[in-house]
Amino acid sequence: MGQLRMVRDTSPINIPTLPEGFSIRPYHDGDWKGWVEACAEGLNTGSWSEQDFHDKMLAMEGLEPEGIIFVVDSNGRIAGTATGWLKPEHGYVHMVGMHTDYRGKGLAKALNAAAVHYLLEKGCSEIYLDTDDFRVPAIKVYLALDFLPVLYEEDMVGRWLEVLKMLGRKECAALTKDGEKTLLISVKD
């Protein structure tokens, strides 16, 4: 069973204002530890070492260090991360994680928007991401940033309908595996 896939077109994106005391910045040397802490729980990166970070992130083809985006607090502590990864002609939002201490503060939308903005500035013709069914708060953010579900496998309709129910949504635009727009309806009147 594959992950859920979402795609966003290349229309401009506004980066929402962050709460006072928070800012967005790209990767700086030495950020690996804060990245690991932000990703550890939600993405199961566990206890990556500095070498793991270099081998599994920085060494990836098309992944530029400045595409690793952080939201930091007023003390410079990394609260969360999202990566804009350049793949041939496409942008991929990758490794989105928020430290548990900072969840629920409205940071994720701005962080993800910054990663999308980075990919748009790089000229990507399409931006996509993969996520898990249980990451409902993240999916809510992605939908708010105009990502659309992609129904690329037979079980996707049912899985997306379950996600919509968890979100309390009755409908959602989606894309077929051929790129045609359709409508998912989770609750029939």
Side-chain angles (χ1 to χ4, degrees), residues 18-48:
L18 288 165
E20 188 173 334
F22 290 92
S23 60
I24 292 176
R25 68 165 176 80
Y27 172 80
H28 296 158
D29 283 338
D31 280 341
W32 72 271
K33 188 173 183 179
W35 182 92
V36 168
E37 289 174 1
C39 291
E41 293 168 17
L43 299 175
N44 298 320
T45 56
S47 56
W48 277 23

Side-chain angles (χ1 to χ4, degrees), residues 23-162:
S23 60
I24 292 176
R25 68 165 176 80
Y27 172 80
H28 296 158
D29 283 338
D31 280 341
W32 72 271
K33 188 173 183 179
W35 182 92
V36 168
E37 289 174 1
C39 291
E41 293 168 17
L43 299 175
N44 298 320
T45 56
S47 56
W48 277 23
S49 67
E50 183 174 5
Q51 190 62 49
D52 290 329
F53 177 76
H54 285 275
D55 293 347
K56 297 176 184 178
M57 283 294 290
L58 293 181
M60 299 299 290
E61 184 177 340
L63 199 151
E64 299 175 350
E66 63 268 16
I68 303 172
I69 311 293
F70 295 104
V71 61
V72 297
D73 68 13
S74 58
N75 296 317
R77 182 178 183 212
I78 293 172
T81 184
T83 299
W85 184 357
L86 301 168
K87 295 192 172 193
E89 294 187 32
H90 301 290
Y92 184 60
V93 177
H94 184 55
M95 300 303 279
V96 177
M98 187 70 62
H99 196 288
T100 54
D101 295 349
Y102 296 99
R103 292 182 185 164
K105 299 185 181 301
L107 304 173
K109 188 173 180 182
L111 177 61
N112 281 284
V116 168
H117 180 76
Y118 167 80
L119 292 168
L120 291 172
E121 283 189 329
K122 293 292 185 174
C124 294
S125 63
E126 180 179 80
I127 298 170
Y128 72 102
L129 60 85
D130 295 307
T131 191
D132 296 303
D133 305 50
F134 64 86
R135 296 194 70 211
V136 176
I139 292 170
K140 182 178 180 181
V141 169
Y142 303 144
L143 289 169
L145 294 174
D146 299 325
F147 279 90
L148 298 176
V150 179
L151 309 175
Y152 71 97
E153 289 181 352
E154 284 187 32
D155 68 342
M156 289 292 154
V157 171
R159 290 171 62 192
W160 274 107
L161 291 176
E162 287 301 313

